Amino acid sequence: MTMEWSFAWMAWTMPVAVFFGCIALMLAGMTVLELRWPTVERKGFLPMRTTRGDRLFIGLLTAAYINLAWVGFTDLSQWIGTALGFAAMAIIMVKA
């Protein structure tokens, strides 16, 4: 019995591949940051104290929901939805 890996179940367009590639790069970068400079909790505009990892998780969820909403409610280019998702995540990472 051989095991085959197939990614055919997902529509791997260029924006989707870029989105997931950026997520992988961010996770690697956050690992390096955490090892070099351990995180400190802080309070921003979110109603709770968060660490760098908390903000990344909240930002990734926000970006994912923005992308899903973009696909579900518009026929415009997914590049715009991806850019909006990353902009929202950047705001959360810096200001939250």
Side-chain angles (χ1 to χ4, degrees):
M1 181 174 186
T2 62
M3 181 180 279
E4 278 188 40
W5 289 94
S6 174
F7 292 107
W9 59 271
M10 186 162 178
W12 284 102
T13 62
M14 185 57 73
V16 172
V18 168
F19 182 76
F20 282 100
C22 288
I23 289 173
L25 288 173
M26 281 187 296
L27 290 173
M30 288 293 288
T31 301
V32 171
L33 279 174
E34 194 62 35
L35 292 173
R36 181 74 175 105
W37 297 286
T39 190
V40 176
E41 285 188 353
R42 64 182 172 128
K43 180 141 174 34
F45 68 84
L46 294 175
M48 62 190 157
R49 297 184 64 76
T50 58
T51 64
R52 191 182 304 132
D54 296 334
R55 291 186 297 275
L56 178 66
F57 181 71
I58 293 166
L60 286 173
L61 283 176
T62 302
Y65 286 128
I66 288 171
N67 273 279
L68 286 173
W70 194 265
V71 168
F73 298 123
T74 71
D75 289 331
L76 300 173
S77 172
Q78 187 59 36
W79 286 109
I80 300 168
T82 301
L84 290 174
F86 279 120
M89 190 166 66
I91 290 169
I92 290 171
M93 290 297 292
V94 173
K95 301 287 184 186

